[in-house]
Amino acid sequence: MYCVILVIMTLEILDTIKESMRHALNSPFYRNHFSGINVEDIRTQADFEQLPFTDKENLRNAYPLGLAAVPEEKIVRIHSSSGTTGTPVIIPYTQKDINDWAMMFARCYETAGVTKQDRVHITPGYGLWTAGIGFQLGAELLGAMTIPMGPGNTDKQLKMMLDLHSTVLCATSSYALLLAEEIEKRGIRDRISLKKSLIGSERWGERMRTRIASELGVELYDIYGLTEIYGPGIGISCPAQCGMHIWTDYLYYEIIDPKTGAVLPAGQSGELVLTTLYKEGAPLIRYRTHDLTRELSGMCPCGRSFPRIDTLIGRSDDMIKVKGTMIYPSRVDEVLSAIPDVSSEYQIIIDHLNGRDTVNLLFETHLTERPAQESLEKIVETIFKSAIGFTPYAKAVGMGELPRSEKKSTRIFDNRY
Ligand code: ZN
């Protein structure tokens, strides 16, 4: 049965949020961002929902340490989100923030059924990025043996995986796919001991999920998080595989309409907005994640009472308008995955030539004969036109020809601006 419940904020949660806001006002950033706002005037959920959002652009303007809400002697570490598109965002952490993050991350491993007996092979990057170190903190707190590989050097990854009998692989979806393909190519699948894989959550298609699961022979878990809010580990899917549980003892979440900012009722898809309840170093109030999802109602069959959000369907800033049509990357995944002989890997390149938008769609296929590829290209163009609304130039390439990345994979390249 499908039922819609409105998100109700209890008085206790409201008090906790107000306390977090009072603390946030110790930072130069929030003193400015909330100027003219009196925390004591916030008496209801509706009052809270009138507060301005915090966006990544705001955080960039607070560079380098404008977000710090504690004196410097309490800051033990900084992390930074990627600076590829401008000024990076610096997030300061206190020891309590690190401990809380480790606790949440250990809970993620437990939810996935990982135990002290496991050997956790960590491939996400270390350094300013929160990925590798977060996976390590949680696994160490749990008491499992960690193998802090970091990304790259496939030969060494596979050697350690074989010699140390890694049982849990932590990776991005595209790196897990690269390793799966390499294991298949080398014919060593019978010799690897992997049982589970925790995949840093981004939007990824069903076909890619099936390939990784079957080629590695593992159970897959989606782990959620972002550098601005601790890092990965603030939520994870469970053995019931219906959405991701979110650790609401540390976070308050809302789902909003990305266009109007209005809070949506449970069940409707929109953008996830997070408020930290106990973060000391850099508390965030109504932070826009730009991740699109929806709240799932009812109890999870696994019995855990933490609320759930659905698998991510994309990012609100990834929606692209081409020839008057909105394209959602998740819709492209869905359309392509239904076409036989088309693999999970593709790239869409949008250009503006001679006054009009052109779209090239490159997809991988195991078909190697050119005539067979040509007829598949025609099929892809026709199906794309009827499902998405315009015709791309489809081009088949061989398996493994499109780049795999160790970070989040980008499949749509918009060269128009
Ligand atoms: Zn569950």
Side-chain angles (χ1 to χ4, degrees):
M1 194 187 77
Y2 179 73
C3 64
V4 172
I5 45 165
L6 288 169
V7 188
I8 304 292
M9 181 194 281
T10 62
L11 268 182
E12 193 187 344
I13 293 173
L14 183 63
D15 282 344
T16 309
I17 289 176
K18 284 168 75 172
E19 196 49 44
S20 184
M21 281 184 72
R22 286 185 201 101
H23 175 65
L25 285 166
N26 291 321
S27 71
F29 167 70
Y30 271 112
R31 268 203 302 279
N32 177 43
H33 197 62
F34 282 164
S35 70
I37 293 169
N38 185 347
V39 178
E40 307 321 314
D41 290 342
I42 301 167
R43 293 188 183 88
T44 63
Q45 178 174 353
D47 293 341
F48 173 73
E49 289 171 0
Q50 293 301 313
L51 287 173
F53 294 111
T54 303
D55 214 333
K56 190 156 183 168
E57 202 47 42
N58 303 135
L59 305 191
R60 285 205 176 99
N61 295 334
Y63 183 86
L65 280 170
L67 282 172
V70 292
E72 191 174 328
E73 58 266 28
K74 286 201 74 182
I75 296 172
V76 298
R77 189 194 292 173
I78 60 148
H79 279 293
S80 166
S81 62
S82 63
T84 46
T85 52
T87 310
V89 169
I90 302 279
I91 305 289
Y93 293 65
T94 66
Q95 188 58 52
K96 180 187 184 317
D97 295 335
I98 302 274
N99 296 349
D100 288 350
W101 182 23
M103 191 94 87
M104 283 188 275
F105 216 130
R107 193 192 283 165
C108 287
Y109 281 114
E110 279 167 354
T111 304
V114 177
T115 71
K116 283 176 196 243
Q117 272 69 48
D118 277 300
R119 298 179 173 193
V120 182
H121 191 102
I122 301 168
T123 68
Y126 282 75
L128 285 172
W129 203 30
T130 45
I133 203 163
F135 279 99
Q136 180 160 350
L137 272 175
E140 287 177 351
L141 184 63
L142 180 75
M145 182 200 291
T146 61
I147 309 166
M149 297 299 299
N153 198 341
T154 308
D155 284 339
K156 195 168 179 187
Q157 297 278 2
L158 296 178
K159 179 174 169 51
M160 298 298 262
M161 201 179 274
L162 287 171
D163 296 348
L164 288 169
H165 303 288
S166 310
T167 59
V168 178
L169 172 68
C170 303
T172 60
S173 55
S174 59
Y175 198 54
L177 179 64
L178 182 146
L179 289 174
E181 287 174 339
E182 211 47 49
I183 287 166
E184 181 73 22
K185 208 186 291 172
R186 297 180 191 201
I188 54 173
R189 195 181 139 185
D190 293 347
R191 292 168 52 213
I192 61 165
S193 313
L194 293 178
K195 293 184 181 64
K196 296 168 194 287
S197 185
L198 272 59
I199 303 289
S201 193
E202 53 180 326
R203 181 200 48 74
W204 49 313
E206 205 42 49
R207 182 169 289 191
M208 187 165 177
R209 190 182 295 267
T210 313
R211 276 186 69 197
I212 296 172
S214 69
E215 287 182 20
L216 286 178
V218 293
E219 283 167 26
L220 292 180
Y221 293 88
D222 279 317
I223 191 155
Y224 183 66
L226 54 164
T227 298
E228 295 81 2
I229 311 273
Y230 295 100
I234 61 171
I236 192 169
S237 60
C238 65
Q241 298 291 344
C242 38
M244 297 184 281
H245 290 280
I246 295 289
W247 310 139
T248 46
D249 45 351
Y250 290 94
L251 300 161
Y252 177 76
Y253 72 90
E254 302 165 88
I255 307 282
I256 63 156
D257 179 326
K259 295 258 170 351
T260 66
V263 177
L264 297 171
Q268 281 193 30
S269 294
E271 180 181 330
L272 182 70
V273 170
L274 294 170
T275 293
T276 61
L277 299 180
Y278 301 106
K279 209 155 184 266
E280 293 182 336
L284 290 178
I285 312 293
R286 302 199 87 205
Y287 184 68
R288 290 189 65 155
T289 66
H290 291 276
D291 286 322
L292 297 174
T293 182
R294 65 189 179 119
E295 186 177 34
L296 298 174
S297 58
M299 274 296 283
C300 181
C302 81
R304 285 177 184 81
S305 57
F306 284 103
R308 289 166 299 145
I309 57 168
D310 207 349
T311 310
L312 306 183
I313 57 169
R315 290 187 48 80
S316 58
D317 38 16
D318 270 356
M319 299 183 293
I320 294 178
K321 201 169 182 182
V322 182
K323 301 182 181 185
T325 305
M326 290 301 280
I327 312 184
Y328 286 85
S330 58
R331 181 75 185 123
V332 176
D333 284 355
E334 212 178 294
V335 169
L336 293 181
S337 71
I339 308 174
D341 298 324
V342 175
S343 135
S344 59
E345 293 306 296
Y346 68 89
Q347 269 188 6
I348 289 182
I349 300 145
I350 308 162
D351 289 293
H352 193 74
L353 298 169
N354 306 322
R356 47 195 286 264
D357 292 341
T358 58
V359 179
N360 285 289
L361 166 62
L362 277 67
F363 63 90
E364 289 187 359
T365 175
H366 59 87
L367 301 178
T368 48
E369 299 295 324
R370 193 56 204 138
Q373 289 187 345
E374 276 170 15
S375 62
L376 185 56
E377 287 165 359
K378 289 282 163 278
I379 293 169
V380 167
E381 288 176 356
T382 309
I383 294 179
F384 202 94
K385 163 78 178 159
S386 71
I388 309 271
F390 61 87
T391 311
Y393 297 104
K395 174 91 182 87
V397 300
M399 296 296 284
E401 284 189 32
L402 295 175
R404 267 67 167 156
S405 105
E406 285 157 5
K407 286 199 168 188
K408 294 190 177 189
S409 44
T410 307
R411 295 201 172 82
I412 301 188
F413 299 88
D414 192 349
N415 299 329
R416 289 174 298 178
Y417 308 106

